[in-house]
Amino acid sequence: PMRSTQQRVDTARRGDEDFRPYRDLAVRVLACAFRDLTGTGRSSDRESARVFLAGSGLMQHWCRVAALDPTCVTSHAERVTAGTIRDTPAPYRN
């Protein structure tokens, strides 16, 4: 039997809300990487963050979960590393 459009939309919304904790976690993982990239902590943390944000498979995974474009995240990390921008975008702030 064919479901109505409204039923499909309601089901999608429920599924999206069920997924929200995972999306929030993914955004926090990416935010932590940006903090490590720009932080004054250990150089090994900055280097790990740089490698992660350069397009690693794990970064791409977390971007998919967070519903973010990995190319945009990598591009932003490159600009941060180059010193052309200093501010972390709103989705990555705590």
Side-chain angles (χ1 to χ4, degrees):
M2 193 89 162
R3 291 192 305 170
S4 75
T5 302
Q6 185 60 44
Q7 287 173 319
R8 287 191 304 266
V9 168
D10 289 344
T11 301
R13 282 187 190 137
R14 270 197 315 275
D16 192 49
E17 282 304 310
D18 292 344
F19 195 69
R20 186 179 182 104
Y22 300 105
R23 186 171 294 121
D24 291 345
L25 173 63
V27 168
R28 289 179 188 276
V29 166
L30 293 165
C32 181
F34 272 101
R35 280 192 308 275
D36 287 348
L37 182 67
T38 60
T40 58
R42 297 184 317 206
S43 62
S44 61
D45 290 343
R46 283 191 303 279
E47 181 59 17
S48 285
R50 189 193 62 72
V51 169
F52 174 78
L53 291 168
S56 71
L58 279 175
M59 188 232 33
Q60 291 181 25
H61 165 75
W62 287 115
C63 284
R64 279 192 303 275
V65 173
L68 295 171
D69 180 356
T71 304
C72 291
V73 173
T74 299
S75 175
H76 184 77
E78 288 170 356
R79 290 191 313 266
V80 167
T81 301
T84 59
I85 56 174
R86 297 226 183 273
D87 195 24
T88 301
Y92 305 114
R93 293 185 196 135
N94 277 338

